Amino acid sequence: MYPKNTNCRNIVPTRRSRPLLATLLTLALTGNFLFGQTTPSDDPENPDEVIELSPFVISGDTEGYVATSSMAGTRVNTHLDEIPASISVVTKDMMRDLGVQNSGELLNYTVSTEVSGSSGNFSGVSTAPGSLQHDSVNRSFLPGSRVRGLANADNTRDFFLTDVPWDGFNTERVEINRGPNAMLFGTGSPAGIINQTTSKAHLGSNTTEVLMEVSNFGSTRAQLDNNTVLIDDKLAVRTAVKYSDDRFQQEEAYVRDKRAFMAGIYRPFELTTVRANFEIGRQNSVKPEWRPPFDNGIMSWFEVGMPAVNPLTNEVTLLGTPTARVSAVNEDGTYRGSWTASGAEPLPILTGNMGGGWGSDNPTIVFDHPDAVGTNMYGLDGVYALTNRAPGYWGGSMVGMVLSRQYQQVQHNGLVGGSAYNERQISDPDIFDFYNHMLDGSNKTEGAKWHISTITVEQLLPNRQGGIEFAYNNQYLRTSFNNPFNWATYGISIDPNVVLLDGSPNPNFGRPVIASDSWSTETENTRENSRLTGFYTLETKVGPDWLQRLLGTHTVTASYNNSSAYTVTRGGRALVAGPEWIYENPQAMDHSNGAPYTIANNAPRGIQTVVYLGQSADNPVDMNVQPISVNVQLPGTDSLPVY
């Protein structure tokens, strides 16, 4: 539940392509432009030698937390006090002292910025009728952000749009440009950009840095950064590798991240420079759930009088005293189905489908306990169909509980705001210890794999008053997400069935249960970018001195960008597959022809998962709800996404 770093954190609960970007010119009146800036040599044998900085590279301008220049305003190296934009520069020293290594941690500390995720300071959830959808935020590889309270900022890597979050192991600085900027048109959203300046190989000296970190909950991080000069003043290579294993208060959660980075610089001539870098990485995770599980029927089951349902006869017996405004029983003693005969009244508590799927006939994997596959259900190795096709029964399945928002909306029907209730969450850790555990254990998984390459060629004029740079960037990112429980069913319900569909007693009556179908997605993003940037500095050299000082120096900058993005997304629910799934259920009759019901031919093939999490009790606290500790995929079968 809580992030890995020792710093104090809050607990809270693809961008389109721009094919042609051309423009603009920026006029900066300066009397002492940065292109003439010099920095002391790193060579101990020549301490008085100075190195003129490239206008296309930010280097040597920081001292501790203070940065004096940026490329975020003009596309060339410019003093911050000469840029008419709201820009914050976070140096590497500052990030290290804050103990942050990514935007999910950094944006908590910067001005007018918010970030989503387990260590963020705003939720970033999307809304749906009657509920909030948390899964998209929880599984996102690139955390969402909000700048100036407006919208999500664009993430860039050396001012190229990117879908890969930056990491401190190869980051020189992070620039946050709040708001629109003409020279970033096509790259920056109205909210602004968050730009990573990657580490550069340098010709000054050989350096090596090793970093080891151990943090709370067992988190570890190791990284190596080495710069080697191969040919003096000509060729240098920089390599960096990193491995981190972030752990959290929730015992099942982790984020393992592995990255490797290489950068090079080649200067064949004094005014010609070629730079290139390449990064490859992989991440596997079970990210923490920063929401408590939904109450999908626990409190409502007790409030309406603990209804015990016979799914074969529709008869209901109340084992307790109702305390709610709604009833679970019709006047004739049967439980209320999805609608009354008139079709005017929503169901108050029970539904004819035990599970979160799209039908009542789905093959279902049953787990008697959070740590074991069930064996007391009829069917194939703990798999059975939630149907008996009984004549006159609208659903033909075991009975389940409605979602908490539906129950609350009916309970408050006719009252002000009665239709505005969202899903109710279990906020009592005595019912389920959501601070230290996730309900689905380690079954929810996320993954990412990527590679990024960039090459730039820079040519300056002999007097260094002008120059041109061509840059090319290519990115590939594949992300995946698998969850055996859909977003609205990350919650705890109750099994109200007193008998099974074969008429035998239900040993799991009154036990807490999670029942749902699954969802898996895989997305591939490919980006290709090219950029041409040029500048020329005009100095006034005619007329009296006072006129030259008045007119000053003008720098004209122009930039042309060509960007393309291609995204492919595949996803769907887990389906049954293979001849071993073809079987006839003698309890399930197809009444259209009187033949036994054949699962593989007639029923939907989306797999439902039912896991019992605790024991039957007279109150929710005594149910002893436990997290799932077993892989809920049935042995010998595959979960296949629908493409």
Side-chain angles (χ1 to χ4, degrees), residues 501-514:
L501 296 178
D502 63 354
S504 61
N506 180 13
N508 298 310
F509 167 71
R511 294 181 64 189
V513 64
I514 180 171

Side-chain angles (χ1 to χ4, degrees), residues 602-615:
N602 294 26
R605 296 166 65 92
I607 300 175
Q608 301 286 302
T609 303
V610 175
V611 183
Y612 291 95
L613 306 170
Q615 60 193 19

Side-chain angles (χ1 to χ4, degrees), residues 58-136:
I58 298 292
S59 178
D61 74 318
T62 61
E63 182 177 349
Y65 295 174
V66 179
T68 61
S69 61
S70 173
M71 295 177 62
T74 63
R75 291 288 184 137
V76 289
N77 196 334
T78 309
H79 279 294
L80 282 170
D81 58 7
E82 296 166 352
I83 301 175
S86 178
I87 300 175
S88 296
V89 179
V90 183
T91 66
K92 195 167 188 175
D93 288 340
M94 184 176 182
M95 286 189 289
R96 285 188 176 177
D97 288 351
L98 290 174
V100 301
Q101 296 286 1
N102 53 64
S103 61
E105 299 169 344
L106 176 63
L107 297 184
N108 289 305
Y109 297 96
T110 51
V111 178
S112 298
T113 58
E114 299 166 284
V115 65
S116 63
S118 60
S119 59
N121 51 8
F122 92 112
S123 68
V125 299
S126 57
T127 59
S131 62
L132 298 175
Q133 297 191 33
H134 304 75
D135 277 10
S136 59

